[in-house]
Amino acid sequence: MADKKRVLITGAAGFLGSHLCDRFLAEGCHVIGMDNLITGDMRNIEHLMPRDDFEFYHHDVTKFVHLPGKLDYIMHFASPASPIDYLKIPIQTLKVGAMGTHNLLGLAKDKGARILVASTSEVYGDPLIHPQTEEYWGNVNPIGPRGVYDEAKRFQEAITMAYHRYHGVETRIVRIFNTYGPRMRVDDGRALPAFMSQALRGEDLTVFGDGSQTRSFCYVDDLIDGIYRLLMSDCADPVNVGNPDEISLKEFADEIIALTGNRQKIVYHPLPQDDPKQRRPDITKAKAILGWEPKVSRTEGLRRTLEYFKTVVEGQQ
Ligand code: NAD
């Protein structure tokens, strides 16, 4: 249909990108997925390939991006996202945040499209205020190993605001806090997939540091809903989207052991450099502007995610 909204989603074969594809298709949009598969997996979107309202381009967004036809929205989610990935491919991480974002802002300007970029709680670094509000400027070590990701995302925010201010492009910036759910990679090095796959294999769970560092985990359906609302809002300033329900990594590991019904131990390994000690979003702004707050409890979210990880881990055995 000619009046369908057309949306480009970069990072479409990744964890969040693939869920966004599902959401925009459910909203009746025509979705164009783009990914170079550096950390993504075509299995995340193979269910969409037969659809007429979905197309996929295997493309690196740090190279010029050309698309024929009109475009209403761009969702820029391409970027390695877990420490294990961005420590392995640091230059690509910097390039996709910088050059990739520049290319997509140029495309948004050319097409008159609204663009939403995926930023992160990592822009706050190891935060000195708690919980983190959007007004906090962060505490990032630019030359530490994690700096490649944090600074790429900080540059991404800066160039996005510059396109908004100087070219009048309609921009949105979401600061995403830790999110979990089906289609996370088992081996992406983040705490939840590591804990769940270790528990399901009957191995001990590895906690880095003494486990007292905190995180707050948002279920993917909640996050996608917050992002969709932000895109449809008129807010150009960054907005935190995440779940403020904070938990220590030790308690989190205990919950997963209890959920899997196994009796593993927790083993402690040294803390990686610049690992943040505390992370919790202040979502006052998202509540006020988007009328959004998370709905899925951690018990329910973990149950749904465990079902997914069971199929993956069983498939590997
Ligand atoms: P992911 O690794 O599953 O997905 C990222 C996708 O981007 C992959 O499919 C990868 O192949 C693709 N990609 C990377 N570089 C590319 C390039 N140059 N050209 C085209 N495609 C490229 O990660 P994710 O967890 O789905 O994260 C998606 C976005 O959300 C990222 O921008 C990330 O920084 C952001 N984010 C995620 C979280 C989270 O908890 N998952 C938290 C904060 C921010």
Side-chain angles (χ1 to χ4, degrees), residues 224-280:
I224 297 294
D225 192 47
I227 290 172
Y228 188 82
R229 285 173 189 238
L230 176 59
L231 177 71
M232 296 305 159
S233 78
D234 57 6
C235 179
D237 291 329
V239 179
N240 289 340
V241 178
N243 193 325
D245 186 8
E246 188 178 2
I247 185 172
S248 76
L249 280 187
K250 156 89 173 73
E251 287 171 289
F252 192 52
D254 285 335
E255 279 188 6
I256 290 177
I257 292 175
L259 189 72
T260 51
N262 294 329
R263 302 230 159 265
Q264 291 82 6
K265 293 194 303 297
I266 296 177
V267 289
Y268 295 91
H269 286 208
L271 200 61
Q273 190 183 340
D274 298 332
D275 195 54
K277 287 179 257 324
Q278 279 186 316
R279 247 330 140 57
R280 173 155 63 97

Side-chain angles (χ1 to χ4, degrees), residues 91-286:
I91 313 287
Q92 287 94 329
T93 303
L94 282 156
K95 281 172 73 176
V96 75
M99 293 148 73
T101 305
H102 187 204
N103 285 336
L104 292 156
L105 285 163
L107 183 68
K109 178 169 170 271
D110 182 40
K111 300 279 187 186
R114 184 180 297 174
I115 178 168
L116 182 148
V117 299
S119 187
T120 167
S121 55
E122 299 284 341
V123 297
Y124 301 121
D126 192 358
L128 303 176
I129 68 144
H130 194 69
Q132 293 80 51
T133 63
E134 289 85 351
E135 286 66 42
Y136 179 52
W137 291 352
N139 177 37
V140 170
N141 173 2
I143 56 163
R146 298 173 76 107
V148 296
Y149 182 67
D150 305 4
E151 295 296 2
K153 292 292 184 177
R154 289 167 69 96
F155 176 85
Q156 177 183 59
E157 290 197 5
I159 193 170
T160 299
M161 289 310 291
Y163 263 72
H164 174 65
R165 292 191 183 112
Y166 293 97
H167 292 307
V169 172
E170 274 196 75
T171 57
R172 306 285 179 266
I173 299 173
V174 59
R175 290 190 181 148
I176 303 170
F177 283 66
N178 282 333
T179 302
Y180 70 99
R183 303 187 194 149
M184 290 186 95
R185 264 182 18 241
V186 169
D187 58 352
D188 81 356
R190 288 186 262 202
L192 182 138
F195 290 168
M196 278 204 175
S197 53
Q198 286 172 326
L200 287 168
R201 289 193 202 104
E203 298 164 8
D204 290 338
L205 273 63
T206 314
V207 167
F208 293 95
D210 63 4
S212 65
Q213 69 274 38
T214 66
R215 295 292 183 270
S216 50
F217 297 96
C218 185
Y219 188 65
V220 64
D221 291 358
D222 280 334
L223 180 91
I224 297 294
D225 192 47
I227 290 172
Y228 188 82
R229 285 173 189 238
L230 176 59
L231 177 71
M232 296 305 159
S233 78
D234 57 6
C235 179
D237 291 329
V239 179
N240 289 340
V241 178
N243 193 325
D245 186 8
E246 188 178 2
I247 185 172
S248 76
L249 280 187
K250 156 89 173 73
E251 287 171 289
F252 192 52
D254 285 335
E255 279 188 6
I256 290 177
I257 292 175
L259 189 72
T260 51
N262 294 329
R263 302 230 159 265
Q264 291 82 6
K265 293 194 303 297
I266 296 177
V267 289
Y268 295 91
H269 286 208
L271 200 61
Q273 190 183 340
D274 298 332
D275 195 54
K277 287 179 257 324
Q278 279 186 316
R279 247 330 140 57
R280 173 155 63 97
D282 182 318
I283 59 166
T284 309
K285 194 169 172 182

Side-chain angles (χ1 to χ4, degrees), residues 10-17 34-41 44 59-62 76-82 85 92 96 118-121 149 153 156 175-180 183-185 190:
T10 74
F15 166 45
L16 299 181
M34 189 172 278
D35 204 298
N36 69 352
L37 302 178
I38 195 164
T39 60
D41 190 331
N44 290 335
H59 183 70
D60 178 345
V61 299
T62 66
H76 180 30
F77 278 66
S79 171
S82 78
D85 290 332
Q92 287 94 329
V96 75
S119 187
T120 167
S121 55
Y149 182 67
K153 292 292 184 177
Q156 177 183 59
R175 290 190 181 148
I176 303 170
F177 283 66
N178 282 333
T179 302
Y180 70 99
R183 303 187 194 149
M184 290 186 95
R185 264 182 18 241
R190 288 186 262 202

